[in-house]
Amino acid sequence: MGGMARRGKSGRKHRTPNRSATRGRADRPVHGVEPPDEQGTELIASLRAALRSEDPTALTSLVSSLLSVTDAWSVLADDPSDPDDVTVPLDALVDSFVGTTYAETTAALHVVAALVPDELVAARIRHVLSGRRHPVPESVRGVRDLTVEHAARLGDELGDGDNVILGLAWPGIGGVTTVTYVDEAFGTRVKDVFLVPEPFAEICARYRELLAENGRRPDELTEIPLADARASIETAIALADADDAPEVPDDWSDPDGDPVGWPGARPFVEMLLRRMPSGGASTLTSDAWPEVSTEEAVAGFLASPHAPHLDDDHVLAQAAAVLAADAAEGAGHPLRWSPVQVELALSQRLPWTGSATDEALEVVGAVIRPFIRYAHELLGVPVEATDETLTAVDEWMPSFDMLLHAAAASRWREVGALVDAFEHGDPVPLMLHTLAEQVGGQEVLDALTADPLPDEPLVLNGVPADVQDAVVQIAELADGWLDTSPRVAHLGAVRREWRTAARRLLADAARTDPAWLRHRASASARACGLLWATGVANRLVGPSGAVLVRDLGADFDVSGSPSAKAETLLRAWAGGRWGVDPTDLGDAGLLIGYRRAEIIALRDTYRTGPRQQGASTD
């Protein structure tokens, strides 16, 4: 409904009201309550403003929005940190109106009684209203008896959305029209509902004028049976409620940027649906398209004269499959392409997909236009609409090309492909990738050996002179602990490897970003952080390591976690990057021979052993 408050975030699921959620006790006694607090005063002021509005449907719109956030309708996302995620018990809302005897709450109760699907709750409210004497506008009383008399639909030739128009007979107002817009940009779902206090015939006439002004046929707006209108809206609601429904952006809005009116309008719309005959068939544009699988769409395209000639027919087939699969998942049909879907595909979906080869994505620009022509020809889309869609391709291809070759998108696609293989039962590519990341890349992993790290001195070449003394002091403290601490005496020669790894990490951090050493800090704490970082990287520090974290900290009189002392050092070593994970440093030169031997064993197991899901990289 126009102006209805939007509820919640995109992707949130909603359910049909159920009796357990909406039922109150019919015999519950009504007790007096305290005068409304500040929040209650604001609510009453809102109700009063709606009652005084020139729009006779304003109060109904407001009450529907209030009901939409109660536990009878709203199923909230699991985000307790979001202050907006507050579900109001329906009983509490009803009790607040019942216990506050103002003309505004009396009017609101009339609407609530009409909108709630649970007859016990409605009966309780009507019993309360029988004892009230506040004057109530006939338009408010009329909600209980309004009927749906007419229905029409206006589809979009490209399937981007449908308007389902209902003509209401509303006592106290006369002719009222609701327009429910079903959007197809992110799957099929109700996006907005407009409630207009004007007769159905006038609204339809206005739509036909707009169609003619835009070069479309006025008869595209057609009247439909009430049962079909009900089926169309119920289909959109059910698809959006499904567990696998596509998510929509948090800022999803109408073309003018106004907040959407759904699900605020849901209680009102569902009341209308209950008053309409059932047994109809959906008339949404997307439901009228032929059922075509992704494989059928690709095969048809490749066999058509639209298919371009590329040097590699296999890559052409892959690119067509990428486009068909993207449309099927993102738009609900493998042949559905519109300017909106072109924008979403080229700027938000395809550059990041992990289910396509780079070779296929490189030729998307040569395939997408003929693929759209084939799809529109098969669906009977007007030539003008096809031209509009192809213009969108010209507009968005530069963005696609830029994103396709961006480092972040390339890495995202790589990891996405690995995760996709993992989810399909093949963990090996992801596991090998993880091992490669730990040692510095695939080539390093291939050539990795288990030779012990040499016992090398602290190398100060390239370290600025003004921080060399600080580096030496930290290294001496770390060396001293490795040489004398009884906690690591059992490690034997491994202590020399650990010392080399620590010296390398320290010197590299000093060369890369010496600024951290120019700030005053405890050399002992820095040495502790250095040993923690290299110890964790080599599985020497931690619950399963040679030394417990708390014992390492105690030996250096460090309060708190040694990880905090390593943070600045690791950030300097990584060139300013935050959040460096010491278990994934990506440098084989910092790993002792025993740790590299573990990685080699895992590498060989993954490459030669059976591919079983759930393999470990530890």
Side-chain angles (χ1 to χ4, degrees):
M1 296 181 187
M4 274 196 168
R6 183 183 178 193
R7 176 64 185 96
K9 299 197 288 188
S10 59
R12 178 164 300 159
K13 302 294 186 286
H14 296 269
R15 66 185 178 210
T16 301
N18 57 73
R19 295 183 68 85
S20 63
T22 61
R23 177 172 296 159
R25 290 177 53 191
D27 58 347
R28 178 185 300 154
V30 178
H31 301 288
V33 296
E34 296 295 326
D37 55 16
E38 181 177 353
Q39 185 176 8
T41 301
E42 292 178 359
L43 175 58
I44 291 175
S46 297
L47 295 172
R48 183 179 302 121
L51 280 169
R52 294 176 177 177
S53 170
E54 295 181 359
D55 179 0
T57 69
L59 181 70
T60 301
S61 296
L62 175 59
V63 172
S64 180
S65 289
L66 294 173
L67 290 174
S68 73
V69 300
T70 66
D71 56 3
W73 275 273
S74 179
V75 178
L76 296 175
D78 186 13
D79 187 5
S81 64
D82 189 338
D84 293 332
D85 281 355
V86 180
T87 308
V88 179
L90 176 61
D91 283 349
L93 180 65
V94 172
D95 285 347
S96 69
F97 289 159
V98 168
T100 309
T101 55
Y102 292 103
E104 293 82 2
T105 58
T106 298
L109 285 171
H110 276 277
V111 179
V112 173
L115 300 190
V116 292
D118 193 316
E119 183 56 30
L120 289 179
V121 176
R124 176 195 169 215
I125 295 173
R126 287 195 294 270
H127 175 72
V128 171
L129 290 174
S130 67
R132 294 203 179 181
R133 298 294 180 263
H134 298 109
V136 176
E138 187 180 356
S139 60
V140 174
R141 293 182 181 273
V143 178
R144 177 178 179 178
D145 299 317
L146 69 80
T147 57
V148 183
E149 302 291 329
H150 305 282
R153 80 165 266 286
L154 173 61
D156 180 85
E157 53 202 356
L158 291 171
D160 279 339
D162 294 85
N163 288 297
V164 181
I165 308 167
L166 303 179
L168 314 181
W170 191 318
I173 302 178
V176 174
T177 305
T178 67
V179 181
T180 301
Y181 179 66
V182 178
D183 189 86
E184 299 273 2
F186 302 94
T188 304
R189 63 182 67 232
V190 176
K191 181 179 182 181
D192 214 343
V193 179
F194 301 93
L195 183 56
V196 185
E198 297 180 24
F200 174 81
E202 292 183 12
I203 297 298
C204 289
R206 195 175 306 165
Y207 267 112
R208 292 189 176 100
E209 291 175 2
L210 291 173
L211 288 170
E213 291 174 3
N214 286 277
R216 295 175 61 182
R217 302 189 320 275
D219 62 3
E220 289 182 40
L221 187 150
T222 58
E223 292 203 35
I224 59 175
L226 294 181
D228 289 354
R230 174 175 176 169
S232 300
I233 297 174
E234 287 180 336
T235 294
I237 294 173
L239 289 173
D241 283 350
D243 291 337
D244 59 350
E247 293 189 0
V248 296
D250 287 342
D251 60 352
W252 198 38
S253 61
D254 68 18
D256 295 324
D258 296 327
V260 298
W262 187 267
R266 184 166 185 160
F268 177 77
V269 170
E270 290 183 340
M271 177 202 70
L272 297 181
L273 298 179
R274 292 193 299 271
R275 300 182 184 189
M276 297 165 65
S278 59
S282 173
T283 62
L284 298 177
T285 303
S286 56
D287 289 330
W289 287 343
E291 291 189 10
V292 179
S293 68
T294 299
E295 294 75 15
E296 291 170 337
V298 173
F301 169 67
L302 296 176
S304 76
H306 294 282
H309 296 288
L310 300 182
D311 294 338
D312 191 330
D313 290 341
H314 181 63
V315 173
L316 168 62
Q318 285 184 324
V322 168
L323 292 171
D326 178 80
E329 182 176 352
H333 195 285
L335 298 177
R336 181 169 171 262
W337 289 91
S338 67
V340 172
Q341 289 303 324
V342 165
E343 176 186 350
L344 294 172
L346 294 181
S347 67
Q348 298 184 27
R349 297 197 298 253
L350 288 177
W352 309 92
T353 181
S355 59
T357 64
D358 286 345
E359 292 79 9
L361 292 173
E362 288 288 351
V363 300
V364 160
V367 179
I368 188 171
R369 294 175 181 85
F371 189 84
I372 289 173
R373 292 189 183 96
Y374 163 75
H376 284 192
E377 180 180 277
L378 192 65
L379 297 176
V381 173
V383 174
E384 296 79 6
T386 299
D387 291 341
E388 182 183 354
T389 305
L390 295 176
T391 299
V393 174
D394 295 336
E395 178 182 354
W396 289 102
M397 273 307 302
S399 296
F400 172 77
D401 289 335
M402 180 186 67
L403 288 170
L404 182 64
H405 298 99
S410 297
R411 181 174 175 80
W412 184 277
R413 289 197 303 273
E414 178 185 9
V415 175
L418 299 173
V419 173
D420 185 65
F422 184 91
E423 292 177 343
H424 285 82
D426 184 5
V428 172
L430 180 60
M431 298 300 104
L432 289 174
H433 174 81
T434 302
L435 293 177
E437 290 280 290
Q438 292 177 4
V439 298
Q442 188 62 53
E443 293 183 1
V444 178
L445 180 63
D446 292 341
L448 199 64
T449 71
D451 297 338
L453 291 179
D455 186 8
E456 65 184 30
L458 178 67
V459 179
L460 295 176
N461 294 344
V463 176
D466 66 313
V467 300
Q468 288 186 6
D469 289 346
V471 172
V472 170
Q473 184 181 15
I474 296 169
E476 288 177 346
L477 289 169
D479 292 350
W481 182 83
L482 287 169
D483 290 338
T484 62
S485 174
R487 301 188 194 279
V488 293
H490 64 289
L491 293 178
V494 171
R495 291 179 297 170
R496 290 192 292 273
E497 291 190 73
W498 191 350
R499 180 171 60 202
T500 294
R503 288 172 173 176
R504 288 178 174 179
L505 179 63
L506 174 62
D508 285 345
R511 293 186 193 97
T512 303
D513 184 6
W516 68 284
L517 291 164
R518 296 182 177 122
H519 301 289
R520 295 185 60 183
S522 166
S524 180
R526 285 171 167 170
C528 180
L530 175 65
L531 290 167
W532 176 86
T534 50
V536 169
N538 288 286
R539 309 299 194 266
L540 294 171
V541 173
S544 301
V547 183
L548 295 176
V549 174
R550 67 170 180 269
D551 292 339
L552 176 64
D555 286 352
F556 285 89
D557 294 324
V558 169
S559 59
S561 173
S563 63
K565 310 304 178 183
E567 183 177 319
T568 304
L569 177 148
L570 289 173
R571 189 165 67 250
W573 174 80
R577 178 164 54 89
W578 289 82
V580 178
D581 182 358
T583 66
D584 191 17
L585 293 178
D587 187 344
L590 299 177
L591 301 180
I592 64 174
Y594 179 78
R595 177 56 188 152
R596 279 179 278 117
E598 291 179 327
I599 293 175
I600 291 170
L602 287 170
R603 177 199 67 189
D604 295 343
T605 298
Y606 295 145
R607 287 177 173 173
T608 61
R611 295 192 166 195
Q612 296 178 344
Q613 190 164 355
S616 170
T617 59
D618 291 334

